[in-house]
Amino acid sequence: MSFVFGRMTTKIILAHLTRQPFPMWTIMLFPLIGGAILGNLPRLGLRAVTAPVELWYLRAYFVFALVVYFRWAVLVINSICDYLGINCLTITPKAAPNQKASAKAANGVTATPSYEERAPAIDLVPAGFVPPSSANNKNFPRGDLTRTISLALLATAYASSITCLIVGGVYFNNTAPTNPGWRRLRLSRPLKQSLPLLINIFVTILTEGTGYVHAVALRWSLGTSLVFNSNLRLFSSIRGSWAFGRLMNFLSAGFLVLCYAATGLIFATLPPENVCSALPLNFICDERETRDLVFFRPGAVLALGIGLLGSSALATWQVVDATVKEKIKTWSSSPIETAWAAWSTGLRTRREGRCMLGVHEQQWPSAPTLPRQKQGNAWEAHTEVRRVVAFLWVLVLLTLFWFVGVIAAVQRINRECIVAGDGQNYMERCDNVYVGGSWSLLPDTNGVTSLAQISLVNDASGGITGNLSNNGAIAVVFILMMGFQSVITMGLHCSELLVTLSRDQDTWRRATSANGCKERNALLTVLGSWKSIALLALKPLVHWLFGLAMSFYVGWGIFMRPPQILYLCLSTLILAGFGTWLTFAVPRGPQPAAYGHLQTMIDLIDDWGQRMFWGHKGWTLNGFGHAGTSSQKCEEVRMELYYAGNVSF
């Protein structure tokens, strides 16, 4: 705990010295809260964790606190030393350029030095003066190919939703009276458990298409309120607008959650034979009859159709509203082309003399500035990033507590219910748990997986489906699944902001590459970014793992399986770690960071074109350097030169 309190006191001291807000939170408190919850499990009716588990938890907390503390110490020391131009343990002859903002820089806060501090008198006028280019090209790309692809995906979503409604309606009306709402199919258990993954991939592609249409319409409908190229579309609204109000965002989120919840309920099976025989319910448990028996739920297909249709209809309304009002300037997803369109149409104006000031220096006055080898990260650039990262780690903790709670309940009830002398028989009150030895990814493929049951059956003699065939029971299933699914879905949606901000920064940094930054449609932009591909792969995978962790069994109810919950927890850990890495990644090199901030992009770009390069372009009349964009490859930025751009001081 000494490292935890050491980190907290250091943050408090730095905040006091730099007159910053009191630091109310640190990531090192998350394990502390987790330990408090684990220590109070008996108060929740669960069995306390064993001493070895508690010991390993404390050891893991110690390692985590050690790493975080020393990373913080190194960050503070390096920040102060880099800003002052000194070394930590050795004496250097270099003089510190200024000292007023050192404490703020060490605390991760961007200070605002005065003009005299950042621009001392220098004489760097070369023999030949090269005037900078002027930004005069207003023929920005309209993104016609991106528009065609987006509308094609929207049309596919409409066609898929109508197909789901027709298929679901036809099969729902033609089911047998003894099992209303269910159709029997013959599929192997591994195939049944893998099919939802394919459906999730298809649903992800369709929802990404409708989501992009919504994002484009929202982006340009925001008008002068648009700050970044990338935004959380389901959490961004326009006051006084029906199409882009909070109600529409709520409906969009609801339809999105409905799509993924329905996907996990399309197929249902019976439990394995040994699970059936162990639990005292009179259902068919003959493995010869039920091995390949799969139940197809037309009602879930109807729900999927409603979700897709609702998402498509809202996206259509929003894009029509923006088009009629002539809001949409371009369909491109590139931050450069968005900034180009915003500048060309008068939504933003260029501020001169800021060719070396990035998004982190937006509040600085225009003045000559020395280039820096390292730029700021996304955490410091976008305020919503901090909330997203916190939510992703909360999601990890929620899935972890879910796993601990379920496996603790299964083990506790199992011990209480075993009849003395016979470890295989259960008493009547133990019909909601089963302890198995399989930890395979697919449940019940290599042995039987442990489970905890949420029973929705009121009549054990009611046949295979019991009372679950009625609409009330199915509604309960949908509400439970959507409640759990909504947290997962919102976490994945929020993680889009981290990926798109990083991708926007990568797009801008390509201006210093050998090929420069050139126009690309949205599809190629996504496929050309491994970060976007990674998120696209994680989305259906996490939803599929949730379907395995919380699955529906005909006639029994909802089964929660601890091994699959653990795998879901690991997938959310990967997602949170991936998002955190994107957030704190530090761009290297003198090119100022932008992260899709439109005003910064307009300030940095002084020559618009289909292909742009960034670098040193010449000098101003009073001897300062000028960095900017050009259609030709530029010289490298000179680190010893003060840059001011096309402006006189």
Side-chain angles (χ1 to χ4, degrees):
M1 295 302 296
S2 60
F3 293 111
V4 178
F5 290 113
R7 167 73 181 275
M8 295 172 63
T9 54
T10 305
K11 289 175 68 70
I12 293 173
I13 292 171
L14 286 174
H16 176 72
L17 291 176
T18 56
R19 293 185 175 88
Q20 298 301 311
F22 186 85
M24 302 296 296
W25 185 256
T26 173
I27 193 174
M28 298 175 76
L29 294 178
F30 275 116
L32 187 64
I33 296 175
I37 294 176
L38 291 179
N40 288 277
L41 287 179
R43 297 179 181 274
L44 303 176
L46 303 175
R47 183 176 177 272
V49 296
T50 61
V53 173
E54 184 176 350
L55 178 61
W56 279 107
Y57 185 87
L58 292 175
R59 289 172 176 171
Y61 192 6
F62 170 74
V63 173
F64 174 76
L66 182 69
V67 172
V68 173
Y69 178 81
F70 278 102
R71 179 190 175 277
W72 167 256
V74 171
L75 174 65
V76 172
I77 294 172
N78 287 342
S79 298
I80 296 176
C81 292
D82 290 345
Y83 194 83
L84 295 178
I86 62 176
N87 295 332
C88 178
L89 300 176
T90 60
I91 299 176
T92 174
K94 294 173 61 177
N98 53 67
Q99 300 178 356
K100 291 185 178 180
S102 59
K104 287 188 177 183
N107 199 26
V109 179
T110 303
T112 306
S114 64
Y115 170 76
E116 290 77 10
E117 291 176 316
R118 289 191 285 124
I122 55 176
D123 184 12
L124 295 173
V125 180
F129 169 72
V130 180
S133 302
S134 60
N136 53 11
N137 184 3
K138 296 191 176 183
N139 187 25
F140 59 89
R142 266 56 176 184
D144 293 333
L145 181 56
T146 300
R147 177 178 180 273
T148 302
I149 296 173
S150 302
L151 295 182
L153 287 174
L154 182 61
T156 305
Y158 269 116
S160 301
S161 64
I162 294 173
T163 302
C164 289
L165 292 175
I166 294 175
V167 172
V170 170
Y171 276 94
F172 189 84
N173 291 328
N174 293 335
T175 49
T178 56
N179 293 305
W182 295 99
R183 298 283 295 182
R184 296 191 180 192
L185 303 174
R186 288 289 177 179
L187 298 173
S188 64
R189 190 176 296 271
L191 180 59
K192 175 265 166 186
Q193 292 168 340
S194 301
L195 272 178
L197 177 60
L198 300 178
I199 300 175
N200 272 308
I201 293 174
F202 183 67
V203 170
T204 299
I205 294 173
L206 296 181
T207 53
E208 288 295 307
T210 57
Y212 185 78
V213 173
H214 176 203
V216 170
L218 173 66
R219 178 186 301 150
W220 293 109
S221 296
L222 286 170
T224 55
S225 300
L226 180 64
V227 179
F228 283 86
N229 180 57
S230 299
N231 302 280
L232 290 173
R233 61 181 182 86
L234 294 182
F235 295 92
S236 301
S237 59
I238 302 176
R239 182 173 297 181
S241 172
W242 275 101
F244 300 98
R246 293 182 178 179
L247 177 60
M248 295 304 105
N249 287 347
F250 178 79
L251 291 177
S252 296
F255 286 130
L256 183 63
V257 173
L258 180 61
C259 289
Y260 286 110
T263 300
L265 293 172
I266 291 178
F267 298 104
T269 61
L270 288 170
E273 180 183 5
N274 45 0
V275 175
C276 290
S277 58
L279 305 184
L281 295 176
N282 298 324
F283 295 121
I284 296 177
C285 290
D286 189 347
E287 187 69 18
R288 293 171 299 177
E289 295 186 18
T290 63
R291 179 182 302 141
D292 298 330
L293 184 60
V294 175
F295 290 85
F296 170 70
R297 175 63 185 173
V301 180
L302 282 171
L304 177 59
I306 294 172
L308 290 175
L309 183 61
S311 299
S312 304
L314 286 178
T316 302
W317 178 25
Q318 289 157 344
V319 75
V320 169
D321 180 83
T323 302
V324 169
K325 296 178 181 178
E326 298 183 351
K327 296 286 188 179
I328 300 178
K329 312 303 180 185
T330 177
W331 281 73
S332 175
S333 62
S334 169
I336 295 178
E337 293 167 10
T338 301
W340 190 355
W343 170 77
S344 299
T345 56
L347 290 177
R348 289 284 188 275
T349 57
R350 188 171 189 270
R351 300 177 297 178
E352 300 291 349
R354 307 183 64 85
C355 67
M356 204 56 69
L357 299 177
V359 62
H360 303 88
E361 296 82 41
Q362 274 299 298
Q363 302 304 319
W364 287 16
S366 299
T369 307
L370 279 173
R372 293 177 296 176
Q373 283 290 355
K374 295 189 298 183
Q375 309 299 319
N377 54 40
W379 179 274
E380 302 165 346
H382 202 304
T383 55
E384 290 183 350
V385 164
R386 306 169 191 180
R387 302 187 185 98
V388 171
V389 172
F391 180 64
L392 291 180
W393 285 105
V394 169
L395 182 60
V396 175
L397 291 178
L398 289 176
T399 54
L400 178 60
F401 295 154
W402 185 20
F403 165 73
V404 173
V406 172
I407 197 170
V410 169
Q411 295 292 341
R412 178 177 62 84
I413 297 176
N414 175 62
R415 282 191 299 270
E416 293 176 354
C417 295
I418 292 179
V419 179
D422 186 2
Q424 301 300 320
N425 296 326
Y426 287 75
M427 296 182 293
E428 289 187 2
R429 69 174 185 274
C430 305
D431 58 355
N432 289 329
V433 299
Y434 183 84
V435 179
S438 174
W439 285 79
S440 60
L441 178 62
L442 298 179
D444 307 322
T445 51
N446 297 320
V448 181
T449 307
S450 299
L451 61 88
Q453 177 193 8
I454 301 177
S455 178
L456 299 176
V457 180
N458 298 322
D459 183 6
S461 61
I464 292 179
T465 57
N467 289 341
L468 283 179
S469 57
N470 63 67
N471 295 330
I474 295 301
V476 172
V477 173
F478 261 95
I479 292 173
L480 287 174
M481 296 292 284
M482 287 186 65
F484 281 84
Q485 195 98 41
S486 61
V487 182
I488 302 291
T489 304
M490 290 301 101
L492 290 169
H493 169 70
C494 291
S495 64
E496 292 178 8
L497 178 65
L498 308 181
V499 173
T500 52
L501 282 177
S502 179
R503 190 179 69 201
D504 288 347
Q505 175 64 12
D506 292 342
T507 300
W508 165 235
R509 288 182 64 83
R510 276 200 293 270
T512 59
S513 65
N515 297 324
C517 181
K518 57 183 179 180
E519 179 185 1
R520 305 170 75 181
N521 63 67
L523 182 59
L524 290 180
T525 300
V526 171
L527 296 180
S529 171
W530 69 268
K531 301 170 185 177
S532 298
I533 294 177
L535 181 61
L536 284 177
L538 276 173
K539 281 186 176 182
L541 178 63
V542 172
H543 284 297
W544 176 63
L545 289 174
F546 173 79
L548 297 180
M550 190 174 182
S551 55
F552 177 65
Y553 281 75
V554 177
W556 296 69
I558 297 176
F559 281 4
M560 295 185 291
R561 300 183 176 275
Q564 282 64 44
I565 299 176
L566 177 61
Y567 301 144
L568 174 65
C569 179
L570 293 177
S571 67
T572 58
L573 179 63
I574 293 173
L575 178 66
F578 177 56
T580 304
W581 175 77
L582 292 177
T583 300
F584 290 99
V586 176
R588 304 283 177 172
Q591 185 183 17
Y595 293 101
H597 189 268
L598 300 184
Q599 185 61 61
T600 301
M601 302 291 295
I602 294 172
D603 294 340
L604 296 175
I605 298 174
D606 63 337
D607 193 358
W608 303 92
Q610 302 296 328
R611 182 190 294 266
M612 289 186 290
F613 297 86
W614 182 89
H616 175 84
K617 296 180 66 175
W619 292 265
T620 60
L621 293 174
N622 52 0
F624 296 116
H626 171 61
T629 55
S630 173
S631 59
Q632 303 295 325
K633 190 169 179 59
C634 303
E635 299 179 15
E636 292 186 2
V637 168
R638 306 181 184 187
M639 302 302 296
E640 75 283 358
L641 185 64
Y642 277 84
Y643 282 84
N646 186 18
V647 68
S648 298
F649 288 92

